[in-house]
Structures are given as structure tokens and as C-alpha cells.
Amino acid sequence: MDFDFLDRKLLDVTRDAVVSFKNAIEGARPDDKELKALCAGIKSYPHTKALPSEFSVAAVDGSGEYPVLQQDDIFLHFVIAAGAIYTTASHRQHKLSSVEPVNPIFKQFVLLSDDMARTQSSYQEYLTALTGLSLKDLATGSDYCEMSGRYGKPIRHADVRWKKVTMSKASQIATHAYLLRTVAELGMAIRMLMHKPRYLLLDTSLVYFMLGETLFLPELLKRYLITQANAQSTGVVALCKSHNIPNGDLIGRMAKDNFGYKDHWYLRLPSDALGEPIPAFLDGREIPPKLSVSYLFKFHATTFPLRIDVDADWWKSAIGGDEAREKQFFADLDFTCHEVRSFGYPYPMHAAHRSASLTKQERKALKDILVQHAQREGLMRGAVASDPEQLHMGGM
Amino acid sequence: MNYTEMLNALGHEEFFGVLAGASTSEIVVYARNQDTSIGDLFLVPSDRGGERVYLFRMTQYANVLRREEDMDPMAKNLLSMDDPFYADDFQSDQLLRLSGSLLGYSELNDAGRWVFRAPRKLPAHLSKVYKVGFGDTASIARQEECLKELLATQLGEGVFIGHLLAGERALKGVPVSIPGEFFAHHIGVFGRTGTGKSNNLMVLIESLYANNRRLNATPRNEWGSKDRLVSLFAVDPHDEFAKWKPNSRGGINRIIGAMTAAEKKELVEPFFYLSCRNEATIQSDPAIGNLGRRVRLHRRDIAPEDIISIMEFSDIMSSAAETIGDEFGEGWISAVLNGDVQPDDNLIHKASLAGLNRRLGFLAGNRSSLVPNKATYESSLADIVLALERGRVLDVDTSLMTEIEQFLLTTVVARTLFALRKALKSARDMTAFIGNGEQPGEIDRHLPMQESLKAILKERLLAERSPYLGQQGHLISINDLPAINIIVEEAPSILNPARLKFGSVFRDISRQGRKFGLGLTVVSQQVTEIDDGILSQINTEITLALGNEDERQAAVHTASNDIFPFKRELQVMGTGQAILSASYKSVPLPVQVPEFK
């Protein structure tokens, strides 16, 4: 970038931007009364060394290279999703036992192009390979259409078709990267239901921004997952590392200052799904998301407060406002956070992340293999450039 | 064993690790989380470009986890967090990262024999890696058998030195030897005190006897190309080789006790033990009996160059000593000590003569038990020389000698043998060797002073069973005589650069000894103190643990093979552990010398 750091105009603009940022944060700050009322709900739960009843807990995570090859308007993406499933063994030395000797992994190349018919066809194949399900299966096996009607225009089962699925052009790479990865994670989560875990952990939130507006594949999958999970009493726990709660740190500070809880505390946020009024500072932010109950909580002193979203129906049946059950829920999750490799964070999530993530060397190896094939097939060198700009700047 | 049989013997799926990285400078292997140690040996079969089995020696290893980069946070969590645990998949994540150097590879030659080669090639990507010494007893035996076959050209045959050392384990099925021929070359034994040099030497003595017994029982035409009888002049500063340690089952006496009468006659008699103790004491020692002799030299055995080789001499004093030697012949020492030498203004300055007198003072009167002052010629030198020419191991107890006497004895024996071998090589027949009434022989030319010794030698070399006469009465070739190896203990005292500056019998022996079948074994705690010229002539090194960085550096620099990868281990090697390097081997071999029992 060509600019003068001493340019008065630039300095003024920079200061203004920072002031705006500060104002935005302060503008979202709950007033003291609201904050006090909210924080009255902070509760603690015990550091958990043993469990009253053992359970299994699954987690999924996704990764990939988006895209791994590209030329003109053709994009080849590489998608990975991994699951991990453990049973607790609180009276044994290792505390968590693997259910599967090797974590299940899904790997798939997905070819997208700006030709929408081709892209839809690719997504169709991708969904089938991942879940063995069709859009129709997802619609009939979930409450998606019903819920869509609750929050906006209703969608008929017959309208759940590929042509109706909201999808951007393939050249909008970031959108498809999110879409492919989210679908992969949810698809793997659906697969993990077969183990009937008590909890199924997702590295995401349960937000439904498009629900009632348009048919969005991740939300359809999410509702299918939750409907199926609820049917077998599996709690889908979406764990958000960024809680996105305005001034959420203030709540953490109050937990410490007012209640003396440096960790092992939780706060359930008022939920629209439970018919509760939403505090003004959270209004319009989808916190908690539609159909969900959210908690802000802290597992351990060395970690930041996190947020979890659970489905409201599951919450009603599994917790239902019972403080003892609520505490046991957090105690159960806390138990999984004491593995040395990820102390303060649920180990099944760590294990799934580890299985899914591509190391630097693996990315390089994947690229090398693709380059070899590309050369053999006569593809241009530019096809394996990670970034079109790199290609233009570096030349052919 | 061919390549497929080798793979079967290793057990295809019993591999210990997988090759992750291979370069000309480093091999990296990811391995199972099983016990291993620095120095372990690994076999890496690979058929890229030909069926080969590579040998990798691990010099570093680290605990790693399959999918975690950093174990620091885990250790911290384990230490400081409440009730941390490992999930059961932790065990399967635990791996070892091994790194080290490629020692070389073996491939089958046209004759179907595995030949070991220097590491000019690398094994293929992700080759399976087999550890020598992994698994049950049967697996380990198979691995050792494979290794033995792969390294056959390197392990040598002849004189057993020790077992191949893999990590902390001596591979009993893989003996390492030095062929007898190479005892005619020079050997360096470097190691600090307490590294087991005495035991190593005792094992060597036993191995030399075994070598000589084997060859004695084998027709000459069936000997291997590098087979040779070996004689050893073993300086024994602690008088221990004959009987070994108290409460032991014995030393040389036990080895000899296991021989038949015929073997004793061929390989031991008339003596193996020399000492300054008096004859009666030696003879009355039941462990030695009549196979021991009192060792003595006579002043007439000592040439000026012997004294110059073991003491500090200036250039002028050296000239004076040589001039006196020329004038007085073998009586030169008595002449100096008796005051018969007159100083002059040319070569024998008064000060030089006084200095010479002082240096010879240890021989004056009857101060020396090794060189008593006798008018008549009484010396063991001829006996020693002839015994060594017959393939004998001589245990020379120097515990009652002063250090200078020990050096003097070694020097006189070495120089006399060197001169005799040169004379032998120069002569075409016995007459030319011995001379006749009219013509001096080659022996007279090469041993110009020692008339008394020569008189005895001439007589005995013509007698029956002369080591220099073949079955048809012809003069024997040097190549048919035993290799004679002389141990130079505390070598820095006489093989240092200052001592060799003005001439030393050892300088000539080090340069030319091997062509006359005469080798030195230079034993020292320090490599740095040995003259570079001597070091450059050593082509077999047995390097034990060394005390400081300078010495380790010097040992690496001196070795005939690249032992740099072993440098760190030279600091920590245990008793009896050594690195054997030799110019005639493609690879340095770590060995464990067994305890002599």
C-alpha cells in the first residue's frame, strides 16, 4: 500500500475509526440494572472428578482446502470432517475410552463451477456421499418446514428441492468454503448419532439466520440432526469459542467479583424459545439463537468464557429448569475437559479437530500429489496456485 | 540368505518404525513407542534401484506424539491442574522420532554374498525399519543372523575383539574381529582410565591364542587371505595377564592350561611370562612354572638410538651419543659410565658428555634390575626375539621396572626385530643373511653394534627349528612369519612430537614397520599428545571413552573411518565399549569387549 503514515487525514480517520469501535461496544453495554438482574442467574458447578453415571460423548469437526485447484470458473474443493466418540470411565485411570479405534473421517473432493446446474449436482452427490440422504429425506426427517413457517414464510416438503436451495456462484469461494465445511460437520454429526451419545458436541453455534426466509442447506441439516438427536435423547451441544455476547467479559468479571467464581460457573441467557423476554442488549443478535437455549460459562480459570447453544426441546426434556440437572449437565461436560492435551476444553472436540485438521506438511503433500496428477493430465500450472492474485502477480 | 529370505527372517510386519526422512546427512525414522537407546542399529530393506538392506545407527531420539506438536502444555497441565488424565487413545499417539546416520548398505554380489558398501545411496521413501534386538528371543536371533550376514565383509575374521554393540546391548551373535594380517599394521587404543583397557587387552590375548591355535590346526593352504599368526609383546604394568584378577579362574595360565601338549609346544614354549622378579620366585609360582623367565638386557643390547628414543636429547647430545657408539660399538654405555670417553672439540663436547652420563645414570652400577651391570653377556633379548618370530604371546611384567626401563625394553625389542626383519628382506639366502668369515651378513649391516646378540642369533637361526628357515632349508619370506605386534604403553611419553624430533626408532617403525610385518599398538589416554606422524600411520583405532572435548575431537580427526556420529558417545561409553575404525573397513563398528572370565 502506498500511503504516508504522517498524513494528517489518515491519522484523523484512524482515530475516528477507533472511537466508533469503542462507541459500538459501549452502546451494546447492558445497563447496570439489566446486568445485575442477568448475573443473578450465575451458578456454579463442581469440578468433576467422577460421574454418577457414565455416558458416551461424541464430537465432530471439519477442515479442508477451499479450493485445492481452480482454473477459470471451475473450483475443486477438498473437504474433511472427522468424528470422535468416547465413553466416560470415571473410575478408571484413563477416564475416557475410545469407542472407535480410529476416529471416523470423511474426505471428499467437490467440484463447483459458476454453472449452477453443475454446482447443484455436485452438492447433491456430496450430500449423498456424506449422509446417504436426499433433500427429501432431510425434509421429512426433520421439523425444518414446520419451523420455517413459525419464523416466516412456510416451506412445503415438496419445495425442498435443489433448485430452491440458496446458493451463490461458485466463484464466491468464501461462501462455498463455509457451506461445504458446515455441511461436512453436520453430516458427520448425523453419522455419529448411530453411537447414541448422551452429548454430541459441535464446533459451531445453532443460529438459523435464514430460517423462514429461504431454504439454506446447513439449516436444513441442522434441524434434521437436532430432530433425530432429540428423538434418541442425544443432546446436540454447539460450543462457540467466540460467545459474541456484547460485553460478555463483564459477566465473567461479575461472576468472579460478586460470586467469587473464578471458573466452573454458568449463566443461562433468557431465551425466546422458552417464552422469556430478551434483554435489550441482546436484542436482534440471535443470542440465544432461534429454537435454542444458550449459556455463557467457564470451564476453567485459564480459559475464556465460552457459549453453548442447545436445542430448546432437548433442554426442556433433559434439564427443564431443574438446577440439579443443569449442574450435572455442566459437570458432565467439565469431566471431559481434564485431559492433559486439552485441559479446560472438551477433549472429544480436541480429538475431532486433531483428526480433521490438515497439518502444514499434509497440505503440502496433498498439493504435491495434485500437482503431479495435474502435470500428467496437462493442466496449466496456474490451476494449483492457491490464490488467483498470486497467479496474476507471479505470472504464468 | 537372499533378499526375500532376509525379509522373511526379519518378519515383514515386525518392523519397528517407518523411514520418514532420508538425506545424505541424516536419517529420520518414526518408530513405535518401545524401548530403545542411543546407538541402536536398524535394518532398512529397500528395493529401489536394486535389492539392498541399509544399516542405520540411531544417535538421537525424542518422544513425540502423532498429532500434537508441543508437549510442554501437557506437562504443565499434568503438573499444575486438578485431576488431569490421559484418554486411552494417548498411548496410540505416542511415538518416537529417531535420527542418526546411515552407516551404509549391503547388496548381494555375483557370488551371492552380501557385500557392505559406503552410504552412497538412500533407502526409498517410507521404507519399513527393523530394529536389531526387537521382539522375542527368536526374533532377535534372526535379526542378529541377518546383521551378521549383511556385515560379513566388515566384521572380519581372525582375532576376536568384541561383540557388535547396538545401543546398550552386545549382540552375542555378531562377533567383530581384526584379521591377523592387520596386527602387522599399527593400532591405536585410546581411552581414559577406567574404560577397561586391561580387560580389553586380556580378551585380545585370549583371542590371539585362539587365532594361533586355529591356524596351527589348519593346513597353510587353507588359511584365509588375511589369516596370519600373530605374536604379541604385551607390556603388563600391573602384572595381571598371567593369572588375571584375584579370585578369577586365571589368565594366560588358564588359556594355556586348556591346550594340548602339542599346542603348548607350538604356541607357548619355552616361555610366555617375563618379569624382573628373580628366577627362583618365578619358577616357584605354580601358575607360571617353567614357562616364566627373568627378563634382563645387557648394556651391549642397547644402541644410542634406543636411549635417544626414550629420553630428552638435544641435537648435539644425540650426535655425541652416536659418535661414541661408532667408536666404542656395543660397549659404548660402559665406556661412557666408566669415563673412558674423552671429550673433544668436534662432536663430543664436554657438556654433551656430562649430559649423556647423567642420562645413562639409571644404568650405572646395579641400579637397574632390567639391565644389571654384568661383565659377561647375559640377556633375554635373543630369547624374546626368537619367541616373537615363532608366533608367541609374551606377557612382560613391568611392575618392578621403572617407567624408563619399561620404555627401554620396548624400544630395544622393537628396534632389534625391525632390524632383523629388514635384514631378512634384504637377504636372498641364509648365508647372505648371516654372513661368512669374509663377508658380513645383512644382519651385520642392519644391526651394526650388537655383536654379542648377533653371535647368539647367528647360531640359533641356523639351528633346527629356526624360525627363518623353511622346510626345504630356504630362507623364509617375511609374509610367512607371524605378524609381530608390540604394545607401547603410556605412548605419549615416547611417541610425542618433541621426542620424535631428533630421531626415534619408532618413527621408522611407524612408517615402515608394516611392510616388515611389525606393528605397534599405541596405547594412550590422550590422542593429542601423540605425534601426528605416528597417528597418520595408524590404520586401526580402538577408541574407548575419552575424557575431554579436545581428545574426542582428536580421536574423530584421527580415525580411519568417519566416527563423527559417535563423537557424543565417546563421552559416555561404558566399560569395555569402543568404536573400532579401520582403513580396511567401510564402516566404524561399535563393539562391546566382553568381560574376561
Side-chain angles (χ1 to χ4, degrees):
Chain A
M1 187 163 73
D2 277 338
F3 66 79
D4 180 2
F5 278 101
L6 298 177
D7 178 3
R8 170 55 55 192
K9 221 174 189 176
L10 174 73
L11 295 178
D12 290 345
V13 170
T14 309
R15 194 200 62 222
D16 291 347
V18 170
V19 169
S20 305
F21 184 76
K22 176 175 169 267
N23 290 341
I25 293 172
E26 288 179 350
R29 191 185 192 282
D31 61 42
D32 288 348
K33 193 178 165 193
E34 201 173 35
L35 187 64
K36 202 173 171 188
L38 184 69
C39 289
I42 292 176
K43 296 185 175 71
S44 71
Y45 64 92
H47 170 79
T48 313
K49 294 195 275 185
L51 297 161
S53 67
E54 306 296 346
F55 59 87
S56 60
V57 53
V60 296
D61 198 12
S63 164
E65 193 77 357
Y66 308 99
V68 71
L69 281 182
Q70 68 179 81
Q71 192 159 326
D72 306 329
D73 69 336
I74 311 288
F75 303 86
L76 185 68
H77 298 275
F78 182 58
V79 189
I80 304 170
I85 171 97
Y86 295 87
T87 55
T88 59
S90 54
H91 297 291
R92 298 185 65 177
Q93 192 182 354
H94 55 257
K95 310 285 189 191
L96 285 175
S97 304
S98 319
V99 172
E100 298 260 5
V102 179
N103 288 339
I105 290 191
F106 170 78
K107 303 180 284 283
Q108 179 91 355
F109 285 99
V110 182
L111 187 75
L112 304 181
S113 88
D114 279 348
D115 171 1
M116 193 51 80
R118 182 171 196 171
T119 291
Q120 284 171 349
S121 161
S122 293
Y123 268 98
Q124 190 173 354
E125 286 169 21
Y126 172 48
L127 181 68
T128 308
L130 180 61
T131 62
L133 299 167
S134 64
L135 282 187
K136 192 179 165 193
D137 296 331
L138 293 177
T140 53
S142 74
D143 59 2
Y144 179 76
C145 293
E146 185 192 338
M147 292 302 138
S148 190
R150 187 188 292 181
Y151 289 96
K153 59 180 181 185
I155 296 179
R156 293 177 306 151
H157 281 190
D159 288 335
V160 180
R161 288 179 289 131
W162 282 107
K163 281 199 173 171
K164 296 270 186 184
V165 173
T166 301
M167 214 165 273
S168 56
K169 288 276 188 188
S171 47
Q172 292 187 317
I173 294 168
T175 311
H176 282 282
Y178 167 78
L179 196 57
L180 288 167
R181 179 173 170 159
T182 309
V183 167
E185 288 175 358
L186 292 167
M188 179 54 75
I190 291 167
R191 286 188 184 192
M192 298 308 286
L193 287 177
M194 63 179 276
H195 294 289
K196 297 195 169 16
R198 182 184 289 181
Y199 305 109
L200 174 54
L201 310 181
L202 304 180
D203 184 14
T204 182
S205 70
L206 290 186
V207 291
Y208 304 92
F209 286 115
M210 308 281 196
L211 193 64
E213 292 175 23
T214 182
L215 176 56
F216 190 48
L217 189 57
E219 295 183 355
L220 174 60
L221 273 164
K222 212 178 271 180
R223 284 319 300 170
Y224 179 86
L225 169 70
I226 284 170
T227 308
Q228 298 296 321
N230 287 351
Q232 62 178 45
S233 301
T234 293
V236 175
V237 181
L239 199 144
C240 319
K241 289 192 279 285
S242 299
H243 53 65
N244 287 350
I245 296 170
N247 293 285
D249 293 348
L250 278 178
I251 299 172
R253 203 178 305 154
M254 284 199 83
K256 190 175 179 190
D257 295 346
N258 296 3
F259 298 93
Y261 304 148
K262 65 178 177 22
D263 53 23
H264 294 98
W265 58 262
Y266 64 86
L267 169 65
R268 188 174 68 74
L269 301 170
S271 168
D272 180 52
L274 301 180
E276 295 166 334
I278 303 298
F281 78 103
L282 291 177
D283 205 20
R285 295 177 192 274
E286 281 258 354
I287 301 174
K290 297 180 187 82
L291 306 170
S292 307
V293 172
S294 296
Y295 287 91
L296 186 69
F297 71 100
K298 200 165 179 187
F299 277 134
H300 198 270
T302 56
T303 57
F304 289 102
L306 306 173
R307 190 185 103 203
I308 51 171
D309 300 336
V310 295
D311 183 67
D313 285 345
W314 177 82
W315 185 88
K316 284 174 201 163
S317 65
I319 295 173
D322 182 319
E323 191 174 320
R325 286 202 259 168
E326 197 170 50
K327 286 192 174 187
Q328 189 56 51
F329 168 58
F330 280 98
D332 286 353
L333 294 181
D334 183 65
F335 181 83
T336 68
C337 293
H338 299 153
E339 219 278 352
V340 289
R341 284 168 283 183
S342 62
F343 202 93
Y345 188 69
Y347 176 68
M349 288 290 290
H350 178 82
H353 172 76
R354 204 178 48 194
S355 291
S357 60
L358 283 168
T359 61
K360 203 171 162 188
Q361 292 95 320
E362 286 165 342
R363 281 180 204 278
K364 187 176 178 303
L366 176 66
K367 209 101 187 175
D368 287 348
I369 293 166
L370 282 162
V371 167
Q372 282 172 19
H373 285 297
Q375 282 173 342
R376 207 170 296 147
E377 300 300 330
L379 276 177
M380 282 194 294
R381 184 163 56 90
V384 289
S386 56
D387 173 4
E389 191 169 328
Q390 181 192 349
L391 182 63
H392 287 291
M393 299 303 284
M396 297 293 281
Chain B
M1 225 188 281
N2 61 29
Y3 184 75
T4 309
E5 288 165 342
M6 188 75 67
L7 289 180
N8 291 337
L10 291 173
H12 293 267
E13 294 311 312
E14 291 177 29
F15 60 97
F16 188 77
V18 172
L19 185 71
S23 72
T24 46
S25 56
E26 191 186 42
I27 292 289
V28 176
V29 170
Y30 280 94
R32 298 174 199 274
N33 183 32
Q34 301 273 353
D35 187 41
T36 190
S37 69
I38 302 278
D40 270 338
L41 295 172
F42 298 84
L43 299 176
V44 190
S46 167
D47 56 7
R48 180 174 67 186
E51 293 177 336
R52 304 188 185 102
V53 180
Y54 293 79
L55 183 62
F56 154 62
R57 186 169 183 276
M58 188 258 284
T59 53
Q60 284 187 59
Y61 78 102
N63 294 335
V64 292
L65 292 177
R66 194 171 66 87
R67 301 288 305 200
E68 307 281 349
E69 294 292 320
D70 188 4
M71 277 192 279
D72 286 14
M74 289 180 231
K76 291 173 188 168
N77 287 339
L78 207 53
L79 189 67
S80 56
M81 296 304 179
D82 294 333
D83 312 303
F85 63 83
Y86 310 103
D88 71 342
D89 60 357
F90 184 65
Q91 210 163 5
S92 61
D93 258 15
Q94 294 168 10
L95 300 174
L96 299 178
R97 183 186 188 278
L98 320 177
S99 58
S101 55
L102 199 60
L103 298 180
Y105 64 89
S106 287
E107 60 186 356
L108 285 168
N109 64 8
D110 293 340
R113 195 162 175 242
W114 288 96
V115 180
F116 194 81
R117 302 192 191 284
R120 292 198 184 90
K121 296 174 186 291
L122 293 173
H125 303 78
L126 302 176
S127 298
K128 287 176 181 172
V129 177
Y130 297 84
K131 181 182 164 188
V132 179
F134 175 56
D136 57 25
T137 313
S139 300
I140 292 172
R142 286 199 309 273
Q143 291 151 8
E144 290 187 7
E145 194 54 42
C146 290
L147 187 62
K148 189 177 170 185
E149 200 158 324
L150 293 166
L151 280 176
T153 54
Q154 300 300 309
L155 296 173
E157 290 172 342
V159 181
F160 169 78
I161 297 297
H163 297 107
L164 191 67
L165 183 66
E168 293 173 328
R169 239 168 49 84
L171 306 178
K172 295 287 164 57
V174 192
V176 178
S177 304
I178 297 177
E181 172 63 33
F182 293 107
F183 281 84
H185 297 212
H186 309 308
I187 298 171
V189 179
F190 307 117
R192 59 174 154 76
T193 52
T195 51
K197 287 199 290 287
S198 294
N199 180 73
N200 296 358
L201 208 51
M202 192 65 232
V203 170
L204 178 69
I205 288 170
E206 185 182 33
S207 303
L208 287 174
Y209 273 120
N211 175 70
N212 293 353
R213 282 175 84 178
R214 176 176 63 87
L215 296 180
N216 186 51
T218 310
R220 187 74 173 81
N221 58 2
E222 291 177 19
W223 289 13
S225 61
K226 302 292 180 197
D227 271 340
R228 195 165 181 179
L229 283 171
V230 181
S231 292
L232 184 70
F233 186 78
V235 171
D236 184 2
H238 306 295
D239 191 19
E240 56 192 357
F241 298 147
K243 294 180 278 189
W244 200 225
K245 311 279 185 194
N247 303 321
S248 74
R249 289 168 52 214
I252 295 175
N253 62 338
R254 181 172 62 79
I255 300 168
I256 293 170
M259 290 181 181
T260 63
E263 283 174 331
K264 263 188 219 174
K265 189 176 176 191
E266 285 300 320
L267 303 172
V268 183
E269 290 176 358
F271 60 89
F272 75 90
Y273 179 75
L274 293 165
S275 172
C276 281
R277 290 192 283 166
N278 70 52
E279 198 82 37
T281 313
I282 297 169
Q283 297 288 328
S284 64
D285 188 336
I288 295 164
N290 62 356
L291 293 175
R293 295 282 185 279
R294 172 166 160 61
V295 64
R296 70 183 74 181
L297 295 178
H298 193 275
R299 285 177 181 178
R300 294 180 209 164
D301 290 327
I302 302 166
E305 65 211 86
D306 297 328
I307 300 294
I308 293 167
S309 298
I310 61 169
M311 298 173 119
E312 205 165 305
F313 267 68
S314 68
D315 206 9
I316 297 169
M317 280 172 61
S318 300
S319 307
E322 280 160 4
T323 305
I324 296 167
D326 291 344
E327 190 178 336
F328 291 89
E330 65 176 13
W332 73 281
I333 291 176
S334 293
V336 172
L337 294 175
N338 295 341
D340 297 339
V341 181
Q342 295 304 312
D344 59 28
D345 293 334
N346 297 319
L347 291 168
I348 309 173
H349 292 275
K350 194 174 176 185
S352 303
L353 187 59
L356 190 55
N357 216 319
R358 280 198 299 278
R359 277 161 182 69
L360 293 174
F362 76 102
L363 299 173
N366 267 321
R367 288 180 199 168
S368 169
S369 55
L370 175 69
V371 193
N373 185 14
K374 297 267 185 184
T376 52
Y377 181 74
E378 291 174 25
S379 170
S380 317
L381 187 56
D383 290 335
I384 292 171
V385 165
L386 291 171
L388 291 171
E389 291 291 29
R390 288 193 176 103
R392 300 292 191 266
V393 173
L394 299 186
D395 169 18
V396 187
D397 163 28
T398 58
S399 61
L400 296 176
M401 295 181 199
T402 62
E403 190 181 60
I404 205 75
E405 285 174 329
Q406 175 192 313
F407 295 148
L408 180 65
L409 176 62
T410 307
T411 307
V412 169
V413 169
R415 179 187 52 77
T416 305
L417 279 164
F418 186 50
L420 281 174
R421 290 271 174 119
K422 282 203 284 188
L424 186 64
K425 194 174 176 71
S426 308
R428 57 178 192 283
D429 55 30
M430 190 48 103
T431 308
F433 179 75
I434 299 280
N436 54 34
E438 296 166 4
Q439 289 287 329
E442 289 295 335
I443 191 172
D444 297 301
R445 193 157 72 84
H446 291 282
L447 277 174
M449 288 175 66
Q450 293 158 269
E451 301 302 332
S452 304
L453 172 72
K454 282 188 287 187
I456 296 170
L457 284 177
K458 284 179 181 178
E459 186 183 324
R460 290 173 62 179
L461 287 172
L462 283 170
E464 199 183 345
R465 286 180 60 81
S466 162
Y468 287 0
L469 285 175
Q471 285 181 340
Q472 278 79 41
H474 62 273
L475 200 59
I476 206 164
S477 154
I478 283 175
N479 292 335
D480 292 330
L481 285 169
I484 299 177
N485 194 277
I486 294 173
I487 293 177
V488 183
E489 275 277 1
E490 302 295 344
S493 299
I494 51 175
L495 299 181
N496 63 61
R499 190 76 76 244
L500 270 76
K501 193 174 170 185
F502 298 112
S504 162
V505 298
F506 292 106
R507 186 159 64 183
D508 292 339
I509 294 173
S510 73
R511 287 178 185 163
Q512 301 181 58
R514 66 172 175 264
K515 69 183 172 201
F516 299 107
L518 184 62
L520 301 175
T521 290
V522 177
V523 181
S524 175
Q525 294 182 36
Q526 295 159 304
V527 187
T528 50
E529 294 295 311
I530 308 287
D531 180 72
D532 282 346
I534 300 281
L535 289 176
S536 68
Q537 298 297 333
I538 291 174
N539 63 354
T540 302
E541 300 84 18
I542 299 172
T543 311
L544 302 116
L546 285 165
N548 68 56
E549 174 63 22
D550 289 348
E551 297 305 329
R552 290 191 288 276
Q553 185 64 39
V556 169
H557 182 70
T558 301
S560 301
N561 306 113
D562 177 15
I563 64 165
F564 181 78
F566 297 84
K567 189 179 166 193
R568 197 176 299 175
E569 284 159 75
L570 293 179
Q571 191 176 359
V572 296
M573 283 192 305
T575 306
Q577 296 179 348
I579 308 299
L580 173 66
S581 51
S583 59
Y584 46 89
K585 291 182 188 285
S586 305
V587 61
L589 297 172
V591 294
Q592 172 73 60
V593 182
E595 189 183 347
F596 180 80
K597 288 179 180 170

